[in-house]
Amino acid sequence: MAFSQDSPLLTVTTGPAPDAAGEDMTLLFLDRTTGASLGPAPGNAVMEFLLQLHTDMFPGLPGMLFLGAMAILLVVALISGVVLYAPFMRKLPFGTVRKGRNKRLRRLDQHNFLGIVALAWMLVIALTGAINAFADPLTENWRDGEIARMTDAYARTPALPPADYGSIDQAMSAAQQAIPGQSPQFIGFPGGAWSSGHHYAIFFQGDRPVTQHLLTPALVDAATGELTDARTMPVINQALMMSKPLHFGDYGGLPLKLIWAALTLATIWVLWTGIMLWLRRKPGEVERRIEEIRSGAAARASS
């Protein structure tokens, strides 16, 4: 059961068993103000395909780790690009595009200019992408480790049958007293992947844009409605939760997404021009480029 912070929307996931596989679950929408069912979640095959392609290219964890490695290589490429760009551009004003000379030189200047303008953004995207590549192992380690430690006292106790579940309202009240000033994000029911066999796992989120993606779980005994434990996320998981919306531009609504889209197009141009410059290089071009960099560094040292 999940709560929307921007609307009265409530999502409820149902299935044949609490630990059923994802494909056997059904996601339903309800209106919290009226209790009316809004039907199953709408699907968008194209967007789901693109998201899966961007997340793991369909192989799952191996695909995520591969993309993480590519993100790390992108960081290396960006840093090396700055190292090469800085001494060379000391001879020219910032943003110079030499239009009066050959096409290759103009393309090189455009590549350098757009690359340095979008550098900070590309570094953020690459670094957050590398962090996100480890999302599944980090999340599973936190879920299976931290939550298990929070319920050690129930480890050898049989799972609570659904007929013995207590009031969710009472459980929510106990959790809110332990974690004041935060909003409930979702509730994991006993036996599910995000809870134990005896607890409602109520996850709270911060009330500010920066903290609304950080989750704090409170485990409440489903039979008695009494709080068992509540703990903040480890630092590494906090970094993961904050990096995802930053990577996808989810902090500032549509305006930020439009900026992200424009910077993405600029990055595609930088990558494309870099590939074209490399493929169409002439004999001795690399040596001349190195000499230009050396002369730029020498000019800087003598000034």
Side-chain angles (χ1 to χ4, degrees):
M1 178 184 294
F3 306 89
S4 171
Q5 304 304 314
D6 304 317
S7 71
L9 191 67
L10 175 71
T11 59
V12 177
T13 305
T14 62
D19 56 352
E23 57 268 20
D24 296 328
M25 295 288 191
T26 301
L27 185 64
L28 300 174
F29 286 167
L30 295 97
D31 188 323
R32 291 207 308 262
T33 59
T34 65
S37 174
L38 304 178
N44 187 320
V46 174
M47 295 305 296
E48 290 173 2
F49 172 83
L50 292 176
L51 178 61
Q52 191 72 23
L53 181 66
H54 184 82
T55 302
D56 60 18
M57 300 191 303
F58 300 101
L61 181 59
M64 293 179 69
L65 296 178
F66 173 78
L67 291 175
M70 293 299 101
I72 293 172
L73 289 177
L74 177 57
V75 172
V76 173
L78 292 171
I79 294 173
S80 63
V82 172
V83 171
L84 294 173
Y85 175 81
F88 171 68
M89 289 307 295
R90 286 177 182 139
K91 300 187 299 181
L92 298 171
F94 175 77
T96 297
V97 177
R98 291 165 287 184
K99 299 179 180 179
R101 300 175 66 177
N102 61 65
K103 182 178 179 180
R104 175 182 172 80
L105 190 60
R106 183 170 66 253
R107 179 175 289 169
L108 173 63
D109 288 342
Q110 292 171 345
H111 173 87
N112 289 337
F113 174 65
L114 283 179
I116 205 67
V117 167
L119 173 66
W121 180 83
M122 288 190 287
L123 279 173
V124 167
I125 296 302
L127 289 171
T128 54
I131 294 173
N132 289 339
F134 299 94
D136 284 359
L138 288 173
T139 301
E140 290 174 4
N141 181 68
W142 171 60
R143 182 188 64 195
D144 298 340
E146 190 76 6
I147 292 179
R149 287 189 290 272
M150 293 168 69
T151 58
D152 278 342
Y154 297 79
R156 294 176 177 80
T157 307
L160 194 68
D164 293 338
Y165 291 177
S167 167
I168 294 181
D169 288 340
Q170 183 180 348
M172 179 66 75
S173 177
Q176 287 177 321
Q177 290 179 19
I179 310 175
Q182 297 195 36
S183 303
Q185 206 276 338
F186 76 93
I187 301 175
F189 281 72
W194 289 96
S195 186
S196 73
H198 291 267
H199 292 84
Y200 294 123
I202 305 175
F203 288 79
F204 290 84
Q205 62 184 143
D207 55 358
R208 292 177 294 175
V210 176
T211 61
Q212 67 179 357
H213 298 281
L214 300 180
L215 301 180
T216 302
L219 295 185
V220 180
D221 191 306
T224 65
E226 296 179 355
L227 179 74
T228 298
D229 199 354
R231 300 184 186 182
T232 58
M233 300 175 72
V235 174
I236 186 65
N237 291 90
Q238 292 184 23
L240 171 64
M241 298 300 290
M242 294 184 71
S243 71
K244 280 189 174 182
L246 185 59
H247 185 80
F248 289 103
D250 287 341
Y251 275 117
L254 182 59
L256 185 61
K257 288 183 181 293
L258 293 176
I259 294 173
W260 253 230
L263 289 169
T264 298
L265 293 176
T267 302
I268 292 173
W269 174 258
V270 171
L271 293 172
W272 172 251
T273 53
I275 292 172
M276 296 305 296
L277 287 167
W278 175 256
L279 292 177
R280 296 180 180 179
R281 67 190 186 280
K282 299 176 181 178
E285 189 71 33
V286 174
E287 290 75 11
R288 286 195 295 272
R289 176 69 172 153
I290 293 174
E291 184 56 35
E292 286 181 333
I293 294 170
R294 285 175 176 170
S295 63
R300 175 68 176 175
S302 61
S303 61

